[in-house]
Amino acid sequence: MIYKIKSLLGVGVVSFRKRNKIEMVSLRIRNKDHLKNVILPIFDKYPMFSNKQYDYLRFRNALLTEIINYDELPKYSRSRESFNTVESIINTSYFAAWLVGFIEAEGCFSVYKLKKEEDYMVASFDISQTNGEILISAIRKYLSFTTKIYLDKTNSFKLKVTSIRSIENIIKFLHKAPVKLLGNKKLQYLLWIKQLRKIPRYTKNINIPSKY
């Protein structure tokens, strides 16, 4: 995925490092001309929906005003006020494509037994975001989920759906979306679809596609 992004952008350096025995791969772009001519136009055209947009605007201003030294930077504390509303997010022209990317990073498809001693299988779709109540609320509304959002101890807003209609909604969305899942998440989704075909409560009520 990182090499694909690098190929599309045409700039940056890919590096590898280990963190807690997990190998991490990253793409870093430091050249100011590349940042101005390649990166800024992307984020100007497709602003972020989360409050990270505040960080981007600070970064953009510092880059364009040619700030060099750290002590030249104005004091900054990210605002707690939501940068967007649920309505402004879901009404954005690129939200569907963005949501596929967000599912790629933060979504989870799983199948499990409801009770260990029974063979009653349940399929679920989960998605979450730290400090992301507006984002998760927008996803909930856009996909017509009725399940309540819950907040865990780490301030992560989570949404988990298992109902027939909700599972059907996420399948329909992914098959009609303007872009497709890629990489490991695509594989996870295909295996999930395969498992769904073995669960009567879903196969009897959902037209499960044979291809993705």
Side-chain angles (χ1 to χ4, degrees):
M1 288 291 289
I2 292 296
Y3 278 112
K4 178 67 174 179
I5 294 171
K6 183 181 186 300
S7 176
L8 290 170
L9 295 177
V11 296
V13 176
V14 176
S15 61
F16 296 83
R17 62 190 174 90
K18 282 192 175 182
R19 177 183 291 176
N20 298 326
K21 297 183 179 180
I22 298 175
E23 190 172 51
M24 307 289 291
V25 57
S26 62
L27 173 65
R28 175 168 291 175
I29 302 167
R30 286 181 170 176
N31 183 289
K32 288 187 177 182
D33 288 334
H34 293 166
L35 290 171
K36 292 176 183 178
N37 300 323
V38 179
I39 301 304
L40 293 191
I42 294 173
F43 287 98
D44 287 345
K45 186 176 182 179
Y46 303 107
M48 286 177 281
F49 296 128
S50 71
N51 281 3
K52 192 174 286 187
Q53 180 68 6
Y54 288 117
D55 300 344
Y56 168 70
L57 293 176
R58 176 183 183 243
F59 166 81
R60 185 182 190 279
N61 180 67
L63 181 63
L64 295 180
T65 53
E66 300 291 344
I67 289 178
I68 297 176
N69 299 315
Y70 178 80
D71 56 11
E72 295 179 282
L73 283 170
K75 290 184 179 180
Y76 173 75
S77 178
R78 184 194 290 177
S79 174
R80 293 185 178 181
E81 182 179 350
S82 295
F83 196 92
N84 286 287
T85 64
V86 169
E87 288 71 24
S88 69
I89 291 174
I90 63 178
N91 289 329
T92 304
S93 61
Y94 56 92
F95 179 67
W98 174 91
L99 180 52
V100 174
F102 189 73
I103 292 172
E104 185 88 49
E106 305 293 345
C108 179
F109 303 96
S110 59
V111 174
Y112 58 92
K113 285 185 178 182
L114 192 61
K115 294 182 179 180
K116 290 183 179 181
E117 65 273 14
E118 297 179 3
D119 290 328
Y120 189 77
M121 303 297 291
V122 173
S124 71
F125 168 70
D126 306 65
I127 199 157
S128 63
Q129 177 75 359
T130 301
N131 300 318
E133 183 177 12
I134 296 296
L135 277 179
I136 301 301
S137 296
I139 294 169
R140 178 179 182 270
K141 184 173 182 178
Y142 188 79
L143 296 177
S144 299
F145 292 158
T146 57
T147 306
K148 291 183 178 180
I149 296 169
Y150 65 96
L151 179 65
D152 69 11
K153 295 180 181 179
T154 64
N155 206 38
S156 179
F157 289 86
K158 298 187 174 185
L159 182 62
K160 177 179 179 179
V161 297
T162 60
S163 72
I164 293 170
R165 291 286 76 82
S166 294
I167 296 300
E168 182 180 33
N169 288 352
I170 187 63
I171 291 174
K172 285 182 176 179
F173 165 71
L174 287 173
H175 283 259
K176 292 181 180 179
V179 294
K180 299 291 187 181
L181 292 168
L182 301 171
N184 288 335
K185 193 54 59 76
K186 179 179 180 179
L187 176 60
Q188 185 187 96
Y189 176 68
L190 290 173
L191 292 174
W192 185 69
I193 288 291
K194 184 178 180 180
Q195 289 178 298
L196 282 181
R197 297 194 187 100
K198 300 177 182 179
I199 305 175
R201 68 187 293 248
Y202 298 112
T203 55
K204 290 179 180 178
N205 296 283
I206 301 175
N207 180 20
I208 302 174
S210 58
K211 295 181 179 180
Y212 176 65

